[in-house]
Coordinates of all heavy atoms in Angstrom, one line a residue:
M1 N -15.1 18.9 -35.3 CA -14.1 18.0 -35.9 C -13.2 17.5 -34.8 O -12.7 18.3 -34.0 CB -13.4 18.7 -36.9 CG -14.2 18.9 -38.2 SD -13.5 20.3 -39.1 CE -14.3 21.8 -38.2
A2 N -13.0 16.3 -34.8 CA -11.8 15.8 -34.0 C -10.6 16.1 -34.7 O -10.6 16.2 -35.9 CB -11.9 14.3 -33.7
L3 N -9.5 16.3 -34.0 CA -8.2 16.6 -34.6 C -7.4 15.4 -34.5 O -7.5 14.4 -33.9 CB -7.5 17.8 -33.8 CG -8.3 19.0 -33.6 CD1 -7.5 20.1 -33.0 CD2 -8.9 19.6 -35.0
I4 N -6.3 15.4 -35.4 CA -5.3 14.3 -35.5 C -3.9 14.9 -35.5 O -3.8 16.0 -36.0 CB -5.7 13.5 -36.8 CG1 -4.9 12.2 -36.8 CG2 -5.4 14.3 -38.1 CD1 -5.4 11.2 -37.9
I5 N -3.0 14.1 -35.0 CA -1.7 14.5 -35.0 C -0.9 13.9 -36.1 O -1.0 12.6 -36.2 CB -1.1 14.2 -33.5 CG1 -1.7 14.9 -32.4 CG2 0.5 14.4 -33.6 CD1 -1.4 14.5 -31.0
T6 N -0.2 14.7 -36.9 CA 0.5 14.0 -38.0 C 2.0 13.6 -37.5 O 2.4 13.8 -36.4 CB 0.8 15.1 -39.1 OG1 1.8 16.0 -38.7 CG2 -0.5 15.9 -39.4
D7 N 2.6 12.8 -38.5 CA 3.8 12.2 -38.1 C 5.0 13.3 -38.0 O 6.2 12.9 -37.8 CB 4.3 11.1 -39.1 CG 4.4 11.7 -40.5 OD1 4.4 12.8 -40.7 OD2 4.4 10.8 -41.5
E8 N 4.6 14.6 -38.1 CA 5.7 15.6 -37.9 C 5.8 15.8 -36.4 O 6.7 16.6 -35.9 CB 5.3 16.9 -38.6 CG 5.4 16.8 -40.1 CD 4.7 18.0 -40.8 OE1 5.0 19.1 -40.4 OE2 3.9 17.7 -41.6
C9 N 5.0 15.2 -35.5 CA 5.0 15.3 -34.1 C 6.5 15.0 -33.7 O 7.1 14.0 -34.0 CB 4.0 14.4 -33.5 SG 4.1 14.2 -31.7
I10 N 7.0 15.8 -32.7 CA 8.3 15.6 -32.2 C 8.3 15.1 -30.7 O 9.3 15.2 -30.0 CB 9.1 17.0 -32.2 CG1 8.5 18.1 -31.6 CG2 9.5 17.3 -33.7 CD1 9.4 19.3 -31.3
N11 N 7.1 14.6 -30.3 CA 7.0 14.0 -29.0 C 7.4 14.9 -27.9 O 8.1 14.5 -26.9 CB 7.8 12.7 -28.9 CG 7.1 11.6 -29.8 OD1 5.9 11.4 -29.7 ND2 7.9 11.0 -30.6
C12 N 7.1 16.2 -28.0 CA 7.5 17.2 -27.0 C 6.7 17.1 -25.7 O 7.1 17.7 -24.7 CB 7.6 18.6 -27.6 SG 6.0 19.2 -27.8
D13 N 5.5 16.5 -25.8 CA 4.7 16.4 -24.6 C 4.0 17.7 -24.1 O 3.4 17.7 -23.0 CB 5.4 15.7 -23.5 CG 4.6 15.4 -22.3 OD1 3.4 14.9 -22.5 OD2 5.0 15.6 -21.1
V14 N 4.1 18.7 -24.9 CA 3.5 20.0 -24.5 C 2.0 20.0 -24.6 O 1.3 20.5 -23.7 CB 4.0 21.2 -25.4 CG1 3.3 22.5 -25.1 CG2 5.5 21.5 -25.0
C15 N 1.4 19.3 -25.6 CA 0.0 19.3 -25.8 C -0.7 18.5 -24.8 O -1.9 18.8 -24.3 CB -0.3 18.8 -27.2 SG 0.3 17.1 -27.6
E16 N -0.2 17.3 -24.3 CA -1.0 16.4 -23.5 C -1.6 17.0 -22.3 O -2.8 16.8 -22.1 CB 0.0 15.2 -23.2 CG -0.8 14.0 -22.6 CD -0.8 14.1 -21.1 OE1 0.1 14.7 -20.5 OE2 -1.8 13.6 -20.4
P17 N -0.9 17.7 -21.5 CA -1.5 18.3 -20.3 C -2.5 19.5 -20.6 O -3.2 19.9 -19.7 CB -0.3 18.8 -19.4 CG 0.8 19.0 -20.4 CD 0.6 18.0 -21.5
E18 N -2.5 20.0 -21.8 CA -3.3 21.1 -22.1 C -4.7 20.6 -22.5 O -5.7 21.5 -22.5 CB -2.7 21.9 -23.3 CG -1.4 22.6 -23.0 CD -1.5 23.6 -21.8 OE1 -2.6 24.2 -21.8 OE2 -0.6 23.7 -21.0
C19 N -4.9 19.4 -22.8 CA -6.2 18.9 -23.3 C -7.1 18.8 -22.2 O -6.9 18.0 -21.2 CB -6.1 17.6 -24.0 SG -7.7 17.0 -24.6
P20 N -8.3 19.5 -22.2 CA -9.2 19.5 -21.1 C -10.0 18.1 -21.0 O -10.6 17.9 -19.9 CB -10.2 20.7 -21.4 CG -10.1 20.8 -22.9 CD -8.7 20.5 -23.2
N21 N -9.9 17.3 -22.1 CA -10.7 16.1 -22.1 C -9.8 14.9 -21.9 O -10.3 13.8 -22.0 CB -11.4 16.1 -23.5 CG -12.4 17.1 -23.7 OD1 -12.6 17.9 -22.8 ND2 -13.0 17.1 -24.8
G22 N -8.5 15.1 -21.7 CA -7.7 13.9 -21.6 C -7.6 13.0 -22.9 O -7.5 11.8 -22.8
A23 N -7.8 13.7 -24.0 CA -7.9 13.0 -25.3 C -6.6 12.7 -25.9 O -6.5 11.9 -26.8 CB -8.7 13.9 -26.3
I24 N -5.5 13.3 -25.3 CA -4.2 13.1 -26.0 C -3.3 12.2 -25.1 O -3.3 12.3 -23.9 CB -3.5 14.5 -26.1 CG1 -4.3 15.5 -27.0 CG2 -2.1 14.3 -26.7 CD1 -3.7 16.8 -27.0
S25 N -2.7 11.2 -25.8 CA -1.8 10.3 -25.1 C -0.6 10.0 -26.0 O -0.7 10.2 -27.2 CB -2.6 9.1 -24.6 OG -3.0 8.4 -25.8
Q26 N 0.4 9.4 -25.3 CA 1.5 9.0 -26.1 C 1.3 7.7 -26.7 O 0.9 6.7 -26.1 CB 2.8 8.9 -25.2 CG 4.1 8.7 -26.0 CD 5.3 9.0 -25.1 OE1 5.3 9.0 -23.9 NE2 6.4 9.3 -25.8
G27 N 1.4 7.7 -28.1 CA 1.2 6.5 -28.8 C 2.5 5.7 -29.0 O 3.5 6.0 -28.3
D28 N 2.5 4.7 -29.9 CA 3.7 3.9 -30.1 C 4.8 4.7 -30.6 O 5.9 4.6 -30.2 CB 3.4 2.8 -31.1 CG 2.5 1.8 -30.6 OD1 2.4 1.7 -29.3 OD2 1.9 1.0 -31.3
E29 N 4.6 5.7 -31.5 CA 5.6 6.4 -32.1 C 5.5 8.0 -31.8 O 6.4 8.7 -31.6 CB 5.8 6.2 -33.6 CG 6.2 4.8 -33.9 CD 6.4 4.5 -35.4 OE1 6.3 5.5 -36.2 OE2 6.6 3.4 -35.7
I30 N 4.3 8.4 -32.0 CA 4.0 9.9 -31.8 C 2.8 10.0 -30.8 O 2.1 9.0 -30.5 CB 3.7 10.6 -33.1 CG1 2.6 9.9 -33.8 CG2 5.0 10.7 -33.9 CD1 2.1 10.7 -35.1
Y31 N 2.5 11.2 -30.5 CA 1.3 11.4 -29.6 C 0.0 11.2 -30.5 O 0.1 11.4 -31.7 CB 1.3 12.8 -29.1 CG 2.1 12.8 -27.7 CD1 3.5 12.7 -27.8 CD2 1.5 13.0 -26.5 CE1 4.2 12.6 -26.6 CE2 2.2 12.9 -25.4 CZ 3.6 12.7 -25.4 OH 4.3 12.7 -24.3
V32 N -1.0 10.8 -29.9 CA -2.3 10.5 -30.6 C -3.5 11.2 -29.8 O -3.4 11.3 -28.6 CB -2.6 8.9 -30.7 CG1 -1.5 8.3 -31.6 CG2 -2.6 8.3 -29.3
I33 N -4.5 11.4 -30.6 CA -5.7 12.0 -30.1 C -6.8 11.0 -30.2 O -7.1 10.4 -31.3 CB -6.1 13.3 -30.9 CG1 -5.1 14.4 -30.6 CG2 -7.4 13.8 -30.5 CD1 -5.2 15.6 -31.4
D34 N -7.6 10.7 -29.2 CA -8.8 9.9 -29.2 C -10.0 10.6 -29.8 O -10.5 11.6 -29.1 CB -9.0 9.4 -27.8 CG -10.2 8.4 -27.7 OD1 -10.9 8.3 -28.8 OD2 -10.4 7.8 -26.7
P35 N -10.4 10.3 -31.0 CA -11.5 11.0 -31.6 C -12.8 11.0 -30.8 O -13.7 11.8 -30.9 CB -11.6 10.4 -33.0 CG -11.0 9.0 -32.9 CD -10.0 9.1 -31.8
E36 N -12.9 10.0 -29.9 CA -14.1 9.9 -29.1 C -14.1 11.0 -28.0 O -15.2 11.4 -27.5 CB -14.1 8.6 -28.3 CG -14.3 7.3 -29.2 CD -15.8 7.2 -29.7 OE1 -16.6 7.3 -28.8 OE2 -16.0 7.0 -30.8
L37 N -13.0 11.4 -27.6 CA -12.8 12.4 -26.6 C -12.5 13.8 -27.0 O -12.7 14.8 -26.3 CB -11.7 12.0 -25.6 CG -12.0 10.7 -24.7 CD1 -10.7 10.4 -23.9 CD2 -13.2 10.9 -23.8
C38 N -12.1 14.0 -28.3 CA -11.7 15.3 -28.8 C -13.0 16.0 -29.3 O -13.7 15.6 -30.2 CB -10.7 15.2 -30.0 SG -10.3 16.8 -30.6
T39 N -13.2 17.2 -28.7 CA -14.4 18.0 -29.0 C -13.9 19.2 -29.6 O -14.7 20.3 -29.8 CB -15.2 18.4 -27.8 OG1 -14.3 19.0 -26.8 CG2 -15.8 17.1 -27.1
E40 N -12.7 19.4 -30.1 CA -12.0 20.6 -30.5 C -12.2 21.6 -29.5 O -12.2 22.8 -29.9 CB -12.6 21.0 -31.9 CG -11.5 21.6 -32.9 CD -12.0 22.0 -34.2 OE1 -12.7 21.1 -34.9 OE2 -11.7 23.1 -34.6
C41 N -12.3 21.3 -28.3 CA -12.4 22.2 -27.2 C -13.7 23.0 -27.2 O -13.9 24.0 -26.4 CB -11.2 23.1 -27.1 SG -9.7 22.3 -26.6
V42 N -14.7 22.6 -28.0 CA -15.9 23.3 -28.0 C -16.6 23.2 -26.7 O -16.6 22.1 -26.1 CB -16.8 22.8 -29.1 CG1 -18.3 23.3 -29.0 CG2 -16.3 23.2 -30.5
G43 N -17.2 24.3 -26.2 CA -17.8 24.3 -24.9 C -16.9 24.6 -23.7 O -17.4 24.9 -22.7
Q44 N -15.6 24.6 -24.0 CA -14.7 24.9 -23.0 C -13.7 26.1 -23.3 O -13.5 26.9 -22.5 CB -13.8 23.6 -22.7 CG -14.7 22.5 -22.1 CD -13.9 21.2 -22.1 OE1 -13.6 20.7 -23.1 NE2 -13.7 20.7 -20.9
Y45 N -13.2 26.0 -24.5 CA -12.3 27.1 -24.9 C -12.7 27.7 -26.3 O -13.2 26.9 -27.1 CB -10.9 26.5 -24.9 CG -10.3 26.2 -23.6 CD1 -10.3 24.8 -23.2 CD2 -9.9 27.1 -22.6 CE1 -9.8 24.4 -21.9 CE2 -9.5 26.7 -21.3 CZ -9.5 25.4 -21.0 OH -9.0 25.0 -19.7
E46 N -12.2 28.8 -26.6 CA -12.5 29.4 -27.8 C -11.7 28.8 -29.0 O -12.1 28.7 -30.1 CB -12.0 30.9 -27.8 CG -12.8 31.8 -26.9 CD -14.2 32.2 -27.4 OE1 -14.2 32.6 -28.5 OE2 -15.2 32.2 -26.6
T47 N -10.5 28.3 -28.6 CA -9.6 27.6 -29.6 C -9.1 26.3 -29.1 O -9.2 26.0 -27.9 CB -8.4 28.5 -29.8 OG1 -7.8 28.8 -28.6 CG2 -8.8 29.9 -30.5
S48 N -8.7 25.5 -30.1 CA -8.2 24.2 -29.7 C -6.9 24.4 -28.9 O -5.9 24.9 -29.5 CB -7.9 23.4 -31.0 OG -9.2 23.1 -31.6
Q49 N -6.9 24.0 -27.7 CA -5.7 24.2 -26.8 C -4.5 23.6 -27.3 O -3.3 24.1 -27.2 CB -6.1 23.8 -25.4 CG -7.2 24.6 -24.7 CD -6.9 26.1 -24.7 OE1 -6.2 26.5 -23.9 NE2 -7.6 26.8 -25.6
C50 N -4.6 22.3 -27.8 CA -3.4 21.6 -28.3 C -2.8 22.3 -29.5 O -1.6 22.4 -29.6 CB -3.8 20.2 -28.6 SG -5.2 20.0 -29.9
V51 N -3.6 22.8 -30.4 CA -3.1 23.5 -31.5 C -2.4 24.8 -31.1 O -1.3 25.2 -31.7 CB -4.2 23.8 -32.5 CG1 -3.7 24.7 -33.7 CG2 -4.9 22.6 -33.1
E52 N -2.9 25.4 -30.1 CA -2.3 26.6 -29.6 C -0.8 26.4 -29.2 O 0.0 27.2 -29.3 CB -3.1 27.2 -28.4 CG -4.5 27.7 -28.8 CD -4.4 29.1 -29.6 OE1 -3.5 29.9 -29.2 OE2 -5.2 29.2 -30.5
V53 N -0.6 25.3 -28.5 CA 0.7 25.1 -27.9 C 1.7 24.3 -28.7 O 2.9 24.3 -28.5 CB 0.6 24.4 -26.5 CG1 -0.2 25.3 -25.5 CG2 0.0 23.1 -26.6
C54 N 1.3 23.6 -29.8 CA 2.1 22.7 -30.5 C 3.2 23.5 -31.2 O 2.8 24.4 -32.0 CB 1.4 21.8 -31.5 SG 2.4 20.8 -32.5
P55 N 4.4 23.3 -30.9 CA 5.5 24.0 -31.5 C 5.8 23.8 -33.0 O 6.4 24.6 -33.7 CB 6.7 23.7 -30.7 CG 6.4 22.3 -30.2 CD 5.0 22.2 -30.0
V56 N 5.3 22.7 -33.6 CA 5.6 22.4 -34.9 C 4.2 22.3 -35.8 O 4.3 21.9 -36.9 CB 6.3 21.0 -35.1 CG1 7.7 21.1 -34.5 CG2 5.6 19.8 -34.4
D57 N 3.2 22.8 -35.2 CA 1.9 22.8 -35.9 C 1.6 21.6 -36.6 O 1.2 21.5 -37.9 CB 2.0 24.0 -37.0 CG 2.1 25.4 -36.3 OD1 1.5 25.4 -35.2 OD2 2.6 26.3 -36.8
C58 N 1.6 20.4 -35.9 CA 1.3 19.1 -36.6 C 0.0 18.6 -36.2 O -0.3 17.4 -36.4 CB 2.5 18.2 -36.2 SG 2.5 17.7 -34.5
I59 N -0.9 19.4 -35.5 CA -2.2 18.9 -35.2 C -3.2 19.6 -36.1 O -3.3 20.8 -36.2 CB -2.5 19.3 -33.7 CG1 -1.4 18.8 -32.8 CG2 -3.9 18.7 -33.3 CD1 -1.6 19.3 -31.3
I60 N -3.9 18.7 -36.9 CA -4.8 19.2 -38.0 C -6.2 18.5 -37.8 O -6.4 17.6 -37.0 CB -4.2 18.8 -39.3 CG1 -4.1 17.3 -39.4 CG2 -2.9 19.5 -39.5 CD1 -3.8 16.9 -40.9
V61 N -7.2 19.0 -38.6 CA -8.5 18.5 -38.6 C -8.4 17.1 -39.2 O -7.8 16.9 -40.3 CB -9.4 19.4 -39.4 CG1 -10.8 18.6 -39.6 CG2 -9.6 20.6 -38.6
D62 N -9.0 16.1 -38.5 CA -9.0 14.7 -39.1 C -10.1 14.6 -40.1 O -11.3 14.7 -39.7 CB -9.3 13.8 -37.9 CG -9.3 12.3 -38.4 OD1 -9.2 12.0 -39.6 OD2 -9.2 11.5 -37.5
P63 N -9.8 14.4 -41.4 CA -10.8 14.4 -42.5 C -11.8 13.3 -42.2 O -13.0 13.3 -42.7 CB -10.1 14.2 -43.7 CG -8.7 13.7 -43.3 CD -8.5 14.3 -41.9
D64 N -11.5 12.3 -41.5 CA -12.3 11.1 -41.2 C -13.3 11.3 -40.0 O -14.2 10.6 -39.7 CB -11.5 9.8 -40.9 CG -10.8 9.3 -42.2 OD1 -11.3 9.6 -43.2 OD2 -9.7 8.7 -42.0
H65 N -13.1 12.5 -39.3 CA -13.9 12.8 -38.1 C -14.4 14.2 -38.1 O -14.1 15.0 -37.2 CB -13.1 12.5 -36.8 CG -12.8 11.0 -36.6 ND1 -11.6 10.4 -36.9 CD2 -13.6 10.0 -36.2 CE1 -11.7 9.1 -36.6 NE2 -12.9 8.9 -36.2
T66 N -15.1 14.6 -39.2 CA -15.6 15.9 -39.3 C -16.9 16.0 -38.6 O -17.8 15.2 -38.7 CB -15.7 16.5 -40.7 OG1 -16.5 15.6 -41.4 CG2 -14.3 16.5 -41.3
E67 N -17.1 17.0 -37.7 CA -18.3 17.2 -37.0 C -18.6 18.7 -36.9 O -17.7 19.6 -36.9 CB -18.1 16.7 -35.5 CG -17.9 15.2 -35.4 CD -17.3 14.9 -34.1 OE1 -16.0 15.0 -34.0 OE2 -17.9 14.5 -33.1
S68 N -19.9 19.1 -36.9 CA -20.3 20.4 -36.9 C -20.1 21.0 -35.4 O -20.0 20.2 -34.5 CB -21.8 20.6 -37.3 OG -22.6 20.1 -36.3
E69 N -20.2 22.3 -35.3 CA -20.1 23.0 -34.0 C -21.2 22.4 -33.1 O -20.9 22.1 -31.9 CB -20.3 24.5 -34.2 CG -20.1 25.3 -33.0 CD -18.7 25.8 -32.8 OE1 -17.9 25.8 -33.8 OE2 -18.4 26.4 -31.8
E70 N -22.4 22.2 -33.6 CA -23.5 21.6 -32.7 C -23.2 20.2 -32.3 O -23.5 19.9 -31.2 CB -24.8 21.7 -33.6 CG -25.4 23.1 -33.8 CD -24.6 23.9 -34.9 OE1 -24.0 23.2 -35.8 OE2 -24.6 25.1 -34.8
E71 N -22.7 19.4 -33.3 CA -22.4 18.1 -32.9 C -21.3 18.0 -31.8 O -21.3 17.2 -30.9 CB -21.9 17.3 -34.2 CG -23.0 17.0 -35.1 CD -22.5 16.4 -36.4 OE1 -21.5 16.9 -36.9 OE2 -23.2 15.5 -36.9
L72 N -20.2 18.9 -31.9 CA -19.2 18.9 -31.0 C -19.7 19.4 -29.6 O -19.4 18.8 -28.6 CB -18.1 19.9 -31.4 CG -17.3 19.4 -32.6 CD1 -16.4 20.5 -33.2 CD2 -16.4 18.3 -32.2
Q73 N -20.6 20.3 -29.6 CA -21.2 20.8 -28.3 C -22.0 19.6 -27.6 O -21.9 19.5 -26.5 CB -22.2 22.0 -28.6 CG -22.8 22.6 -27.3 CD -21.8 23.3 -26.4 OE1 -20.8 23.9 -26.8 NE2 -22.0 23.2 -25.1
G74 N -22.8 18.9 -28.5 CA -23.5 17.8 -28.0 C -22.6 16.7 -27.5 O -22.9 16.1 -26.5
K75 N -21.5 16.5 -28.2 CA -20.6 15.5 -27.8 C -19.9 15.9 -26.4 O -19.8 15.0 -25.6 CB -19.4 15.4 -28.9 CG -18.4 14.4 -28.7 CD -17.4 14.6 -29.9 CE -16.3 13.6 -29.9 NZ -15.4 13.8 -31.1
Y76 N -19.6 17.1 -26.3 CA -18.9 17.6 -25.1 C -19.9 17.5 -23.9 O -19.6 16.9 -22.9 CB -18.7 19.1 -25.2 CG -18.4 19.8 -23.9 CD1 -17.2 19.5 -23.1 CD2 -19.3 20.8 -23.4 CE1 -17.0 20.2 -21.9 CE2 -19.0 21.5 -22.3 CZ -17.9 21.1 -21.5 OH -17.7 21.7 -20.3
E77 N -21.3 17.8 -24.1 CA -22.2 17.7 -23.0 C -22.5 16.2 -22.7 O -22.7 15.9 -21.5 CB -23.5 18.4 -23.5 CG -23.4 19.9 -23.4 CD -24.5 20.6 -24.1 OE1 -25.5 20.0 -24.5 OE2 -24.4 21.8 -24.3
K78 N -22.4 15.3 -23.7 CA -22.6 13.9 -23.4 C -21.4 13.4 -22.6 O -21.6 12.6 -21.6 CB -22.7 13.1 -24.7 CG -23.0 11.7 -24.4 CD -23.5 10.9 -25.7 CE -24.0 9.6 -25.4 NZ -23.1 8.7 -24.5
L79 N -20.2 13.8 -23.0 CA -19.0 13.3 -22.2 C -19.0 13.8 -20.8 O -18.6 13.0 -19.9 CB -17.7 13.9 -22.9 CG -17.4 13.2 -24.3 CD1 -16.3 14.0 -25.0 CD2 -16.8 11.7 -24.1
V80 N -19.5 15.0 -20.6 CA -19.6 15.5 -19.2 C -20.6 14.7 -18.5 O -20.4 14.3 -17.3 CB -19.9 17.0 -19.2 CG1 -20.3 17.5 -17.8 CG2 -18.8 17.9 -19.7
G81 N -21.7 14.5 -19.1 CA -22.9 13.7 -18.5 C -22.5 12.4 -18.1 O -22.9 11.8 -17.1
D82 N -21.6 11.8 -19.0 CA -21.1 10.4 -18.7 C -20.0 10.4 -17.7 O -19.5 9.3 -17.3 CB -20.6 9.8 -20.0 CG -21.7 9.4 -21.0 OD1 -22.9 9.5 -20.5 OD2 -21.5 9.1 -22.2
G83 N -19.5 11.5 -17.3 CA -18.4 11.7 -16.3 C -17.1 11.4 -16.9 O -16.2 11.2 -16.1
R84 N -17.0 11.4 -18.2 CA -15.7 11.2 -18.9 C -14.8 12.4 -19.0 O -13.6 12.4 -19.2 CB -15.8 10.5 -20.2 CG -16.5 9.1 -20.1 CD -16.8 8.6 -21.5 NE -15.5 8.1 -22.1 CZ -15.5 7.7 -23.4 NH1 -16.5 7.7 -24.2 NH2 -14.3 7.3 -23.9
V85 N -15.5 13.5 -18.9 CA -14.9 14.8 -19.1 C -15.4 15.7 -18.0 O -16.6 15.8 -17.7 CB -15.1 15.4 -20.5 CG1 -14.9 16.9 -20.5 CG2 -14.4 14.7 -21.6
S86 N -14.5 16.5 -17.4 CA -14.8 17.5 -16.4 C -15.0 18.8 -17.0 O -14.1 19.3 -17.8 CB -13.8 17.6 -15.2 OG -13.6 16.3 -14.7
P87 N -16.0 19.5 -16.6 CA -16.3 20.9 -17.2 C -15.3 21.9 -16.5 O -15.7 22.6 -15.6 CB -17.7 21.2 -16.9 CG -18.1 20.4 -15.7 CD -17.2 19.2 -15.7
V88 N -14.1 22.0 -17.0 CA -13.1 22.9 -16.4 C -13.0 24.2 -17.0 O -12.1 24.9 -16.8 CB -11.7 22.1 -16.5 CG1 -11.7 20.9 -15.6 CG2 -11.3 21.8 -17.8
S89 N -14.0 24.5 -17.9 CA -13.9 25.7 -18.7 C -13.9 27.0 -17.9 O -14.8 27.1 -16.9 CB -15.1 25.8 -19.6 OG -15.2 27.1 -20.2
P90 N -13.1 28.0 -18.1 CA -13.2 29.2 -17.5 C -14.6 29.8 -17.9 O -15.2 30.6 -17.1 CB -12.1 30.0 -18.1 CG -11.4 29.3 -19.2 CD -12.0 27.9 -19.1
E91 N -15.1 29.5 -19.0 CA -16.4 30.0 -19.5 C -17.5 29.5 -18.6 O -18.6 30.2 -18.4 CB -16.7 29.6 -20.9 CG -15.7 30.3 -21.9 CD -15.7 29.5 -23.2 OE1 -16.8 28.9 -23.6 OE2 -14.7 29.5 -23.9
A92 N -17.3 28.3 -18.0 CA -18.3 27.7 -17.1 C -18.4 28.2 -15.7 O -19.3 28.0 -15.0 CB -18.1 26.1 -17.1
D93 N -17.3 29.0 -15.4 CA -17.2 29.5 -14.0 C -18.3 30.6 -13.8 O -18.8 30.8 -12.7 CB -15.8 30.1 -13.8 CG -14.8 29.0 -13.7 OD1 -15.2 27.9 -13.5 OD2 -13.6 29.3 -13.9
G94 N -18.6 31.4 -14.9 CA -19.5 32.5 -14.7 C -20.8 31.9 -14.7 O -21.8 32.6 -14.5
Ligands
SF4_1 FE1 -8.0 18.1 -26.6 FE2 -9.1 20.3 -27.5 FE3 -6.9 19.3 -28.7 FE4 -9.2 18.0 -29.0 S1 -8.7 20.0 -29.7 S2 -7.3 17.1 -28.4 S3 -10.2 18.4 -27.0 S4 -7.0 20.0 -26.6
SF4_2 FE1 3.5 16.2 -30.8 FE2 2.8 18.9 -31.1 FE3 1.9 17.4 -29.0 FE4 4.5 18.2 -29.1 S1 2.7 19.5 -29.0 S2 3.7 16.1 -28.6 S3 4.9 18.0 -31.3 S4 1.4 17.0 -31.2

């Protein structure tokens, strides 16, 4: 599932550098997640890195972009293959 940031976002900028896919950016009013790039960190991390760091827990599953674990893995591999995402996973090191 791609995630979405709700309007409870306080624009703290903590999540943006944590995203391995560069999916998070500052929008007009709050931070936004590009559903094309968000893989819920599948293939890279055990948990969604943005959710881990958000101080107000305003990052949730986007009901309009639900994807299975397999779909997310495939999406991640395609993004890497297209050169849009770098495989920076600690899991990939071994
Ligand atoms: Fe980026 Fe992962 Fe958050 Fe998606 S879940 S926006 S890939 S940090
Ligand atoms: Fe907004 Fe949470 Fe990201 Fe901070 S960490 S910018 S509150 S979504």
Side-chain angles (χ1 to χ4, degrees):
M1 291 153 275
L3 304 185
I4 192 169
I5 295 171
T6 74
D7 60 11
E8 287 167 55
C9 172
I10 56 171
N11 291 309
C12 71
D13 188 40
V14 167
C15 58
E16 190 269 332
E18 296 298 324
C19 179
N21 296 0
I24 303 174
S25 62
Q26 189 162 23
D28 289 340
E29 292 181 9
I30 56 172
Y31 276 70
V32 293
I33 294 175
D34 183 345
E36 292 285 310
L37 292 173
C38 178
T39 55
E40 216 179 311
C41 294
V42 166
Q44 293 167 297
Y45 296 99
E46 296 279 319
T47 56
S48 296
Q49 298 300 288
C50 56
V51 173
E52 293 287 323
V53 298
C54 179
V56 295
D57 294 330
C58 68
I59 307 175
I60 61 170
V61 170
D62 183 349
D64 291 333
H65 292 99
T66 57
E67 294 157 281
S68 70
E69 185 97 7
E70 290 75 25
E71 286 172 323
L72 288 167
Q73 181 69 34
K75 184 180 183 179
Y76 165 66
E77 288 168 8
K78 184 168 191 312
L79 287 167
V80 171
D82 290 347
R84 297 177 73 189
V85 162
S86 301
V88 293
S89 167
E91 294 161 28
D93 289 342

